[in-house]
Amino acid sequence: MSVLIERKRSDRRSLPIEAVTPATLAAARKRLSAAQKRWLDEWAFEAAPGAQVLLADAGGKLARVLVGVDPADPLGALAGLPMSLPPGHYHLADEGVALDARQAALGWALGAYQFTRYRKPRRAPATLAVPAEDLEALAPLVEATVLVRDLVNTPTEDMGPEQLGDAVHKLGKAHKAKVRDWVGQELLKHNFPTIHAVGRASHREPRLVELTWGKQSHPKLVIVGKGVCFDTGGLDLKGSDGMRWMKKDMGGAAHAIALAGLVMDAKLPVRLTLLVPAVENAVSGNAMRPGEVITTRAGITVEVDNTDAEGRLILCDALAYASEQKPDLIVDFATLTGAARVALGPDLPALFANRDELAEAVLAAGKRTADPLWQLPLWRPYRKMLDSYLADMANAGASRHAGAITAALYLERFVPGSQAWMHLDTYAWNDGDRPGRPRGGEAMGLRAVFAWLQERYPR
């Protein structure tokens, strides 16, 4: 992890970064030379969060960095520095505002990310010295976030259903897990009809990829991720604006893959199953049509009201299969609805759970890890919005009200009430560049859920 290095504080090549606020700036000035104070004045540095100033010694060499911080946001404190400071080695100074050093280092690492598959890096990021124990704790989280970002940022031509499955196989090989696939017509043979229906129109065959790992004696955990590698909307075709970024519609699968990697890397005492239904929702002569009725794996008949509500269709077969295994817990991730973004904006994943205590624990973990979520209700009276006149239910309805809730209620029909289940409707994307959150694919809810799983299944 090149953006974080272990280096002794006594190393003269490592320059101190002092965190300051408007309230502590006066104390910081007392440690500076007259020339450095004049420099602060010339720059009108007032220690606003994110503001930074570079200070030279008497010989003109860079000697110290002051950065304005919000103590309530340690994750963002240093996140803007790795790509703005001169390349070199830095460390968090003992002087100044006391930050959560591990959170600050994580923010630094996330801010150093660059997606370089198709172009050279803009520049080398500055590196931050951290203690060995912090590096050990942070490395898996950074690598998991990078994996999510890389998978989501990759265009569909290079990240179709097969390539998304390859990511699962690569993960399985790294952790000596078992991986199997059901591809194309095999989905019908093994009773995954909705996954096949959504993906059949593409020249790239749909598939369900399953990874299994862990001891039989351990409680079973199933992680499911929506893997729509591109979503045209099907015959209910999206407009150009709505279709432009639909390479990211496999963001749920990216989260699920990364979370499974964290679980295995931490050797949590679970019997893990990862399920990734991977498809392209395309348009061709055999595309799924509005008005079709599909008998799902669970035996529930579904009328296709809208072919652009395809994510819940591929997930329902995966959730039914997961439920058959009677696990201790099912967690699914999906870039499922625009309605969740309208309700909560781009930064807050919508959390649904059929056990309030599960939701409360994950929300608390999100606060601790600076990875927030927001719970929305499984308001069951809204099930009527999914009524069908000729099938057990529809995959969508005429009302535009409560779209995130009705999508979650659709999924809930495929999970027995006795089964603990949690659903995250996540955006998996940053619309613009912010410190620590570069434009493009993003992990949202990943750290929170992993921290909670560490509590639920302690080693």
Side-chain angles (χ1 to χ4, degrees), residues 63-94:
R64 177 173 288 264
V65 177
L66 298 186
V67 59
V69 301
D70 175 0
D73 180 25
L75 188 70
L78 308 183
L81 299 181
M83 301 304 293
S84 62
L85 291 180
H89 305 314
Y90 299 82
H91 65 266
L92 188 59
D94 293 328

Side-chain angles (χ1 to χ4, degrees), residues 115 147-160 164 225-233 238 240-257 276-281 308 310-311 314-315 333-342 345-349 424-432 437-444:
F115 185 59
L147 176 61
V148 172
R149 291 174 173 180
D150 283 352
L151 290 174
V152 175
N153 281 329
T154 303
T156 305
E157 186 63 25
D158 294 323
M159 190 53 62
L164 191 58
K226 172 190 168 184
V228 178
C229 296
F230 195 85
D231 180 20
T232 66
K238 294 178 183 289
S240 59
D241 287 347
M243 201 187 301
R244 173 62 180 89
W245 299 108
M246 282 300 100
K247 68 175 185 177
K248 77 176 187 65
D249 213 18
M250 39 62 68
H255 281 74
I257 292 167
V276 175
V279 304
E280 273 194 89
N281 187 23
D308 197 19
E310 83 300 329
I314 68 170
L315 285 173
F333 291 82
T335 53
L336 202 61
T337 67
R341 309 287 69 79
V342 172
D347 294 348
L348 281 175
L424 281 83
D425 189 336
T426 184
Y427 192 39
W429 191 259
N430 294 319
D431 290 319
R437 302 190 64 174
R439 183 183 182 188
E442 185 59 279
M444 298 178 174

Side-chain angles (χ1 to χ4, degrees), residues 215-279:
K215 296 181 180 179
Q216 289 291 323
S217 58
H218 288 160
K220 189 167 188 62
L221 167 66
V222 182
I223 302 170
V224 183
K226 172 190 168 184
V228 178
C229 296
F230 195 85
D231 180 20
T232 66
L235 291 176
D236 288 309
L237 196 68
K238 294 178 183 289
S240 59
D241 287 347
M243 201 187 301
R244 173 62 180 89
W245 299 108
M246 282 300 100
K247 68 175 185 177
K248 77 176 187 65
D249 213 18
M250 39 62 68
H255 281 74
I257 292 167
L259 180 59
L262 285 169
V263 167
M264 292 187 288
D265 185 74
K267 295 180 172 55
L268 297 189
V270 296
R271 187 160 40 103
L272 174 67
T273 293
L274 167 66
L275 296 174
V276 175
V279 304

Side-chain angles (χ1 to χ4, degrees), residues 54 172 193 200 222 280 291 320 367 392 458:
L54 281 61
R200 72 191 185 203
V222 182
E280 273 194 89
K367 290 181 179 179
D392 294 326

Side-chain angles (χ1 to χ4, degrees), residues 29 35-45:
R29 287 178 65 95
Q36 290 172 335
K37 292 176 184 177
R38 286 195 300 271
W39 187 249
L40 282 188
D41 294 337
E42 289 184 19
W43 277 94
F45 181 75

Side-chain angles (χ1 to χ4, degrees), residues 30-210:
K30 293 179 181 179
R31 291 188 290 274
L32 304 181
S33 68
Q36 290 172 335
K37 292 176 184 177
R38 286 195 300 271
W39 187 249
L40 282 188
D41 294 337
E42 289 184 19
W43 277 94
F45 181 75
E46 297 179 350
Q52 57 186 272
V53 64
L54 281 61
L55 300 174
D57 60 19
K61 292 184 178 181
L62 180 59
R64 177 173 288 264
V65 177
L66 298 186
V67 59
V69 301
D70 175 0
D73 180 25
L75 188 70
L78 308 183
L81 299 181
M83 301 304 293
S84 62
L85 291 180
H89 305 314
Y90 299 82
H91 65 266
L92 188 59
D94 293 328
E95 305 86 3
V97 176
L99 297 173
D100 183 320
R102 190 170 290 184
Q103 285 275 51
L106 177 60
W108 178 289
L110 299 183
Y113 172 84
Q114 298 179 76
F115 185 59
T116 59
R117 179 164 181 166
Y118 304 105
R119 66 180 181 186
K120 295 179 180 179
R122 299 196 312 274
R123 48 155 288 184
T127 55
L128 181 72
V130 297
E133 60 270 20
D134 287 349
L135 186 64
E136 183 179 358
L138 291 173
L141 295 174
V142 175
E143 291 166 4
T145 302
V146 167
L147 176 61
V148 172
R149 291 174 173 180
D150 283 352
L151 290 174
V152 175
N153 281 329
T154 303
T156 305
E157 186 63 25
D158 294 323
M159 190 53 62
E162 182 179 359
Q163 289 80 15
L164 191 58
D166 289 343
V168 179
H169 280 270
K170 181 178 179 180
L171 184 69
K173 184 176 180 180
H175 293 279
K176 298 181 179 179
K178 296 179 180 179
V179 182
R180 63 172 173 171
D181 310 75
W182 295 273
V183 180
Q185 292 297 115
E186 292 178 340
L187 290 166
L188 295 178
K189 180 179 178 181
H190 293 275
N191 194 22
F192 298 105
T194 55
I195 299 174
H196 183 270
V198 172
R200 72 191 185 203
S202 174
H203 66 288
R204 307 167 88 170
E205 291 185 297
R207 64 195 61 222
L208 175 64
V209 189
E210 179 186 47

